[in-house]
Amino acid sequence: MGLKSYVYKKLMSKRVDCAERERAVLASATNREAREAIQVDLFNKVWKTARENVPFYTGWQQKHALPDEIRSLEELNRWPILTKADLRNLGPFVRKDVDHPRKYLVTGGSTGEPVRLPTFGDETVSASQVYGRSRYGVHTGDRTFLLWGHEHLYGKGFRRKINILKRRLKDWLANWTRVSAYDLGEEAMTRAYAIYKRKKPAFVLGYSAAVLAFCRINRAHRREVGSVRVVLCSAGPLTPAEKAEIEDFFGAKVAMEYGSVECGIMAYTRPADGRYDVFWNTHLIQAERDNGEYRCLVTRLTECYVPMIRYDIGDYLKLNPEEQDNAARSVLEIDDVKGRPSEMIHFACGASFFGALIGDCIKQIPSVIQSQMEVDPVNNMLQVSVVTSGKELSDSDKDLIKGRILLTVQDANKLTIRVVQVPRLKMTVGGKIPRIVFKEER
């Protein structure tokens, strides 16, 4: 073992040990009843801290006549739901029992303005990453290629320079090669491929949109570099066709990580069938019926500065019949993360569709590598912005995309539809590319 690997594994030893303990806990409760009993106990501990030390939850308990503890998870269905709007005013979340931390987490702002949350870290939730990746044969210190973007967390001025240097040192120790996901244009992704080929990573990690752009721009090099064990995509769901496209490029399985800035890592897909296993000892996921869909509500079961209790994370989940039956208590397995309710577009004229449909309308144009919808629902206007791999989009290509939309989307003939070619798509501060940008967000 080299000195670099030795130092990094020493630094990561606490997290690795925590991952092993988590593996043991997850294996200890083999049936739903046992797991839910543990979740009730963990919830009551989190709720005690919240109601005694967080003014927001003290007021919550009084306003909604909430008990000091619960006996079953079903009781939570009568509890209120925490929203992102609640988190924008941090004053009521300042705790009485601990010092206010200096570190903040910043959400990506994919649904509007970001939220800044104070945090003092959580090794248990961080360990979930170690455990989730280990199931795919990825371990601490493996050569990793990242298409990622956290520049918004580095600060400004001198502090920014120091944070960048610290990030580079950590990446070097971790054996990570980081390529910015903020520029997904042809030139940047071509350079990224040259770096990828030189480094020969064992593991690829990136935003879903960034990994897709990397594959599409470099499709001529499909499977030229083997040795990748798995490609882990995060920060956005992928359609089955998009997963197949990535797997074909790398010749490796796609894994998915489900998490958020506010809630940490909540679930990982499993290698056998691609379904998500929820980390039920750190997160209680419940699903509420919403117009025939299952909307995800999250409660963090570990110690964190801002307790998340019945938090509407903003996603729809696809659940099998057994999980649907138990969704009001505890979701332990997720078939797929379908995306956000905000991606269900409703126009004043009555047209309504899920945003992912547009991806099916543009995939027949091989030169298109990315797309985004800019929507004005009040004035019934839809603009499809596309980025291509250098080739100019012809009028016939634009007409083909528009024609597919008219065939696929009911009442689309009531909309004003434009297809435009752009050099780059709109991004959040976190470097993510939202599928839909509503007029009020621009």
Side-chain angles (χ1 to χ4, degrees), residues 302-321:
T302 55
E303 176 71 7
C304 52
Y305 186 84
V306 178
M308 293 288 162
I309 297 175
R310 298 271 291 169
Y311 176 62
D312 182 0
I313 196 171
D315 286 326
Y316 285 144
L317 305 178
K318 180 181 178 183
L319 304 176
N320 64 40

Side-chain angles (χ1 to χ4, degrees), residues 193-440:
Y193 178 76
I195 296 170
Y196 167 87
K197 187 174 181 179
R198 187 171 68 252
K199 294 293 183 178
K200 294 183 172 61
F203 175 41
V204 174
L205 168 63
Y207 294 153
S208 297
V211 175
L212 272 173
F214 180 86
C215 294
R216 288 170 177 173
I217 288 172
N218 297 295
R219 57 166 54 98
H221 302 294
R222 167 182 165 270
R223 296 200 182 190
E224 284 186 4
V225 181
S227 77
V228 176
R229 295 178 207 152
V230 66
V231 181
L232 175 63
C233 294
S234 183
L238 290 167
T239 66
E242 289 168 339
K243 289 179 186 176
E245 185 178 349
I246 294 170
E247 290 180 342
D248 181 64
F249 180 89
F250 287 103
K253 187 179 288 292
V254 167
M256 300 294 292
E257 175 185 275
Y258 184 40
S260 75
V261 170
E262 310 97 296
C263 298
I265 305 303
M266 300 179 286
Y268 256 75
T269 53
R270 54 194 184 214
D273 58 13
R275 292 187 174 93
Y276 292 83
D277 280 332
V278 174
F279 295 124
W280 53 264
N281 61 323
T282 58
H283 293 82
L284 168 63
I285 291 183
Q286 297 171 306
E288 183 178 74
R289 288 296 295 268
D290 179 15
N291 293 321
E293 301 283 355
Y294 287 88
R295 191 164 183 146
C296 183
L297 303 176
V298 182
T299 299
R300 289 185 66 161
L301 299 177
T302 55
E303 176 71 7
C304 52
Y305 186 84
V306 178
M308 293 288 162
I309 297 175
R310 298 271 291 169
Y311 176 62
D312 182 0
I313 196 171
D315 286 326
Y316 285 144
L317 305 178
K318 180 181 178 183
L319 304 176
N320 64 40
E322 180 183 353
E323 296 301 328
Q324 290 177 19
D325 291 341
N326 293 285
R329 298 203 312 272
S330 178
V331 173
L332 301 176
E333 178 183 296
I334 301 169
D335 278 14
D336 203 4
V337 179
K338 299 179 69 173
R340 297 181 177 274
S342 58
E343 293 193 350
M344 180 65 77
I345 309 171
H346 301 278
F347 291 89
C349 65
S352 176
F353 65 95
F354 194 68
L357 274 178
I358 299 301
D360 292 331
C361 297
I362 62 98
K363 67 183 182 182
Q364 61 202 318
I365 312 295
S367 62
V368 173
I369 55 174
Q370 295 173 280
S371 67
Q372 186 177 65
M373 285 169 288
E374 298 191 41
V375 177
D376 182 346
V378 175
N379 295 305
N380 301 314
M381 298 181 67
L382 169 65
Q383 176 175 300
V384 180
S385 301
V386 300
V387 177
T388 68
S389 56
K391 181 182 177 183
E392 192 73 22
L393 205 65
S394 68
D395 289 340
S396 62
D397 288 337
K398 295 177 183 178
D399 289 341
L400 192 58
I401 294 172
K402 184 176 177 179
R404 289 290 300 170
I405 294 172
L406 290 169
L407 283 173
T408 305
V409 177
Q410 188 175 0
D411 294 324
N413 60 329
K414 299 177 181 178
L415 305 176
T416 300
I417 302 172
R418 296 178 64 227
V419 179
V420 299
Q421 184 174 357
V422 296
R424 60 181 56 85
L425 302 179
K426 298 179 186 297
M427 282 187 171
T428 70
V429 295
K432 302 171 188 175
I433 298 176
R435 195 190 304 269
I436 304 165
V437 178
F438 289 93
K439 182 182 178 182
E440 60 267 26

Side-chain angles (χ1 to χ4, degrees), residues 8 23 75 117 173 241 438:
Y8 182 66
R23 188 196 304 269
E75 294 177 38
L117 295 176
L173 286 171
F438 289 93

